[in-house]
């Protein structure tokens, strides 16, 4: 990585940490002007300084030394004006994409096959048709998708859920080319409620399936169609209509609460979906929107809302690749816990395999016996 790119990452990480150049300078024992020159790409950074700065800014060392995968570079270049939450989202996408590339390059991570021949839906009917085809591909029927992260992984999209702020960006995805093949890589905001996290991830899955994971030229119409795909994927027409009819003659509000809970989608999303399916009209939707359910509404109806895609979530195959790499002595304990973002400690790591004789032979080369 060149000094200019390193300087940009230092600036970004420092801004996100809420530190001034002077504060960082005091941390490593240099003048503020030295940090200013670092961020401009005019000064080299030695190993000791890099370790201290990474720790102070709460970033792994790999964030400051790994090259960005091309897809992430493209997304950042095309993003136009950004606000802090988008900047933070880009940083998380960069780090996760870089880690995926690293594990794929070691052949520890293998991409799943993405269904071919998909395009961004041009209308709601096409969006529903795409969602139905994906459900058939996965043999889901009309049942709720209880583990959306696993579903995405089966379609080649790896997921990380991290904090991007209460008012931060909901999420995004990029396509990353690796020696093992292409991966979809998505980051979702843990600070959104569970229903919105699921809608965000289903929307990003639509981008990945349609092959436009970082297409900055996508229109607002395309985004709406991918939202339509997302809700039809999460809450298929046949299942929703059957449940709605089963709950008659309860009130629209009670039935809507049951649908939202069964399919684990947000109140806003379920109301829009019920209107699209002609189960309620616009006046019903407006009235219900003014009366969102509380936790007590769910508990009173003996409905337990299960949290999904919680803070720190990583796709199972990513986790397994890290632990397999450690077990096979291809990753150090420090690198493994760094990749797993502190979700495990060194004490949690599995036992390592005994080294093969071929691995030990170089240690004895040149010794008599």
């Amino acid at each position: 990585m060149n000094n200019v790119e390193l300087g940009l990452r230092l600036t970004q990480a420092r801004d996100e940490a809420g530190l001034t150049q002077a504060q960082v300078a005091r941390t490593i024992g240099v003048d503020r002007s030295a940090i200013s020159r670092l961020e401009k790409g005019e000064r080299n950074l030695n190993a000791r300084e890099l370790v201290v700065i990474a720790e102070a800014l709460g970033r792994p060392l790999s964030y400051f030394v790994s090259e960005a995968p091309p897809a992430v570079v493209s997304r950042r270049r095309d993003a136009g004006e950004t606000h802090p939450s988008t900047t933070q989202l880009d940083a998380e996408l960069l780090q996760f994409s870089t880690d995926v590339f690293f594990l794929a390059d070691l052949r520890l991570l293998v991409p799943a096959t993405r269904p071919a021949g998909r395009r961004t839906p041009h209308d709601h009917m096409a969006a529903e048709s795409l969602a139905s085809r994906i459900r058939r591909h996965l043999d889901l029927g009309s049942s709720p998708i209880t583990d959306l992260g696993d579903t995405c992984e089966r379609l080649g999209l790896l997921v990380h859920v991290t904090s991007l702020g209460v008012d931060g960006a909901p999420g995004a995805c990029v396509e990353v080319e690796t020696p093992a093949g292409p991966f979809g890589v998505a980051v979702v905001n843990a600070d959104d409620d569970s229903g919105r996290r699921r809608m965000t991830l289903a929307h990003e899955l639509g981008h990945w399936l349609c092959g436009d994971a970082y297409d900055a030229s996508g229109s607002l119409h395309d985004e709406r169609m991918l939202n339509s795909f997302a809700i039809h994927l999460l809450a298929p027409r046949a299942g929703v209509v059957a449940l709605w009819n089963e709950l008659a003659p309860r009130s629209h509000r009670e039935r809507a609460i049951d649908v939202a809970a069964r399919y684990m989608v947000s109140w806003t999303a379920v109301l829009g979906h019920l209107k699209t399916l002609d189960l309620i009209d616009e006046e019903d939707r407006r009235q219900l929107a003014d009366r969102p359910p509380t936790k007590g509404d769910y508990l009173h109806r003996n409905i337990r809302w299960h949290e999904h895609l919680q803070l720190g979530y990583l796709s199972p195959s990513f986790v397994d690749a890290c632990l397999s790499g450690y077990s096979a002595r291809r990753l150090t304990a420090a690198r493994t816990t760094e990749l797993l973002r502190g979700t495990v400690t060194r004490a949690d790591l599995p036992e390592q395999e005994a080294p093969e004789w071929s691995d030990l032979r170089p240690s004895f080369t040149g010794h008599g016996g």
Side-chain angles (χ1 to χ4, degrees):
M1 181 189 303
N2 62 49
N3 284 351
V4 173
E5 174 65 19
L6 175 59
L8 289 172
R9 294 195 196 181
L10 284 169
T11 302
Q12 182 172 297
R14 179 178 58 76
D15 287 342
E16 291 169 9
L19 299 176
T20 65
Q21 289 182 342
Q23 288 172 316
V24 175
R26 285 196 294 272
T27 299
I28 63 174
V30 298
D31 293 334
R32 188 200 65 79
S33 60
I35 301 300
S36 176
R37 290 175 58 215
L38 275 174
E39 293 186 358
K40 292 177 182 178
E42 298 173 351
R43 176 178 179 271
N44 292 326
L45 186 65
N46 65 47
R48 184 196 69 81
E49 291 173 335
L50 181 59
V51 170
V52 175
I53 286 178
E55 183 176 354
L57 300 183
R59 287 284 177 184
L61 281 174
S62 60
Y63 178 77
F64 298 104
V65 299
S66 299
E67 296 290 344
V72 180
V73 172
S74 297
R75 184 184 185 279
R76 292 162 65 207
R77 184 178 64 244
D78 296 339
E81 293 186 8
T82 61
H83 53 82
S85 62
T86 303
T87 300
Q88 185 178 356
L89 173 60
D90 279 349
E92 295 293 346
L93 272 174
L94 169 63
Q95 186 62 56
F96 191 36
S97 299
T98 300
D99 292 344
V100 167
F101 186 95
F102 170 75
L103 292 172
D105 194 34
L106 291 177
R107 295 299 194 270
L108 293 170
L109 194 58
V110 179
T113 301
R114 171 172 52 179
R118 312 300 181 192
R119 293 185 179 180
T120 304
H122 55 83
D123 59 25
H124 292 290
M125 184 178 296
E128 182 175 2
S129 177
L130 174 59
S132 297
R133 292 200 303 273
I134 294 302
R135 277 185 157 266
R136 286 195 298 272
H137 174 79
L138 298 172
D139 196 25
L140 292 174
S142 60
S143 301
I145 299 176
T146 55
D147 191 338
L148 184 57
D150 176 72
T151 298
C152 289
E153 183 175 82
R154 290 169 64 188
L155 295 167
L157 180 67
L158 301 182
V159 184
H160 175 43
V161 181
T162 189
S163 176
L164 300 173
V166 175
D167 298 317
C173 74
V174 291
E175 182 173 338
V176 179
E177 287 290 342
T178 77
F183 286 85
V185 175
V187 170
V188 174
N189 191 355
D191 298 306
D192 287 337
D193 64 59
S194 178
R196 191 181 184 202
R197 292 197 299 271
R198 283 170 58 83
M199 273 295 292
T200 295
L201 182 52
H203 179 101
E204 299 307 332
L205 176 62
H207 275 296
W208 162 246
L209 292 173
C210 295
D212 66 345
Y214 61 94
D215 182 4
S217 64
S219 67
L220 181 58
H221 175 76
D222 289 343
E223 293 299 301
R224 287 172 177 162
M225 291 306 100
L226 288 175
N227 274 339
S228 182
F229 160 80
I231 191 62
H232 280 290
L233 179 72
L234 294 176
R237 180 186 295 268
V240 172
V241 172
L243 178 59
W244 186 263
N245 292 334
E246 177 188 322
L247 296 171
R250 293 178 181 171
S251 70
H252 281 179
R253 185 170 185 272
E254 289 179 316
R255 293 155 94 182
I257 288 173
D258 274 67
V259 172
R262 172 77 65 85
Y263 290 97
M264 296 165 280
V265 294
S266 69
W267 188 242
T268 300
V270 81
L271 295 183
H273 195 38
L274 292 173
K275 180 177 179 297
T276 298
L277 299 179
D278 293 323
L279 298 175
I280 60 174
D281 59 27
E282 177 57 23
E283 181 60 27
D284 292 328
R285 190 200 65 77
R286 284 199 299 265
Q287 290 181 5
L288 291 171
D290 291 335
R291 299 177 60 205
T294 64
K295 183 177 180 179
D297 284 313
Y298 290 106
L299 294 176
H300 183 61
R301 294 179 50 71
N302 198 30
I303 297 172
R304 296 294 184 268
W305 184 273
H306 299 286
E307 288 292 319
H308 294 271
L309 301 169
Q310 297 190 58
L311 177 65
Y313 177 90
L314 288 162
S315 290
S317 64
F318 180 90
V319 174
D320 184 65
C322 296
L323 296 177
S324 295
Y326 172 76
S327 180
R329 298 177 180 270
R330 301 184 66 190
L331 297 176
T332 65
R335 183 63 171 132
T336 304
T337 56
E338 178 184 89
L339 286 165
L340 293 176
R341 289 152 172 78
T343 55
V344 299
T345 66
R346 293 194 181 201
D348 298 322
L349 294 176
E351 290 186 1
Q352 291 185 308
E353 300 169 3
E356 297 287 340
W357 169 247
S358 58
D359 297 327
L360 294 173
R361 185 174 297 168
S363 302
F364 296 94
T365 301
H367 294 272

